[in-house]
Amino acid sequence: MPAVPAPDPIAGGDYVVRSAVRHGRCLNGHDLDVAGRGSDWNQALDLPTGRCELCVRLSLPRAEWLEVDLRPRDGMSATSAGLHLAVRPPFARAGIEQIMLQLRDVTIADLDMQMCSACKVGVVEQVRVDHAYLRRGIGTVLLHAALVRGRGYRWSTTTIADTAAATAFWASQHLPPGMVLGDPKRCPDMLAADESAV
């Protein structure tokens, strides 16, 4: 992946990202209705932020986070946000498409997936995050964006690497009921798209 132009406000700071939805709990597990939820604006990235007021008072790490809009840009500069999602559509129906997280229009992470709207099936192929941005919630945002795009679909994944990092990632996700990890459940349309891509 190409380098992000300097200064890089994420790799150089302690930023964590989350989907721009109303969260029930903070990154440290506190109920935000009890702990207190706050918000602000990050000027450098032109993005809203959320925070846990209790975590701030206790000086805990990850008390604050950047909120990423799950609606991807379609190539138009509809937003001035320095951190946004973009989508590369599939070449064929039910083929592989890509959701990318871009920092100042440079891709720092992406997720490959197949979705079939006719069969209501989705397969996560792989999640990649540039090394400088690991452990910041970026993979979770990409996965959340995919699951939102295929809300109500039957989801599965391809083989998951047998590493502590991969296990930790998948173990920390709030997956939809019935999602199968490590055993892709492709529909006939996906299999046809795979054959035509060869």
Side-chain angles (χ1 to χ4, degrees):
M1 292 183 201
V4 174
D8 182 342
I10 295 183
D14 191 26
Y15 290 112
V16 180
V17 300
R18 294 183 95 180
S19 304
V21 298
R22 185 174 173 84
H23 295 281
R25 296 195 173 270
C26 75
L27 292 164
N28 293 309
H30 301 126
D31 181 325
L32 287 168
D33 289 334
V34 176
R37 66 179 76 238
S39 61
D40 209 339
W41 196 263
N42 181 288
Q43 298 295 329
L45 291 169
D46 198 20
L47 282 176
T49 63
R51 72 175 170 270
C52 172
E53 300 295 357
L54 178 59
C55 288
V56 170
R57 286 178 28 214
L58 295 173
S59 300
L60 295 178
R62 297 181 169 227
E64 200 169 15
W65 53 87
L66 298 166
E67 297 189 339
V68 178
D69 190 342
L70 292 179
R71 296 169 298 181
R73 284 177 31 174
D74 57 5
M76 303 294 290
S77 294
T79 176
S80 60
L83 190 64
H84 59 266
L85 293 175
V87 171
R88 182 174 295 130
F91 290 113
R93 182 172 166 264
I96 294 182
E97 64 182 285
Q98 191 174 65
I99 301 176
M100 301 163 285
L101 185 66
Q102 297 182 331
L103 175 58
R104 297 190 177 130
D105 295 321
V106 174
T107 299
I108 61 171
D110 55 58
L111 177 145
D112 294 344
M113 65 179 177
Q114 278 186 285
M115 288 176 47
C116 178
S117 58
C119 300
K120 301 290 187 204
V121 174
V123 176
V124 175
E125 298 282 334
Q126 74 180 350
V127 181
R128 290 178 297 270
V129 179
D130 194 45
H131 185 73
Y133 304 97
L134 291 172
R135 313 234 14 108
R136 295 174 184 269
I138 289 171
T140 298
V141 167
L142 289 170
L143 180 62
H144 191 187
L147 297 175
V148 165
R149 286 172 64 83
R151 194 181 307 275
Y153 284 31
R154 287 173 288 126
W155 282 95
S156 61
T157 74
T158 55
T159 303
I160 295 171
D162 187 18
T163 64
T167 302
F169 172 76
W170 287 104
S172 68
Q173 302 305 309
H174 299 285
L175 302 174
M179 184 167 180
V180 178
L181 299 180
D183 184 16
K185 306 295 184 189
R186 292 186 175 87
C187 70
D189 294 326
M190 291 176 174
L191 296 172
D194 288 348
E195 284 183 17
S196 68
V198 174

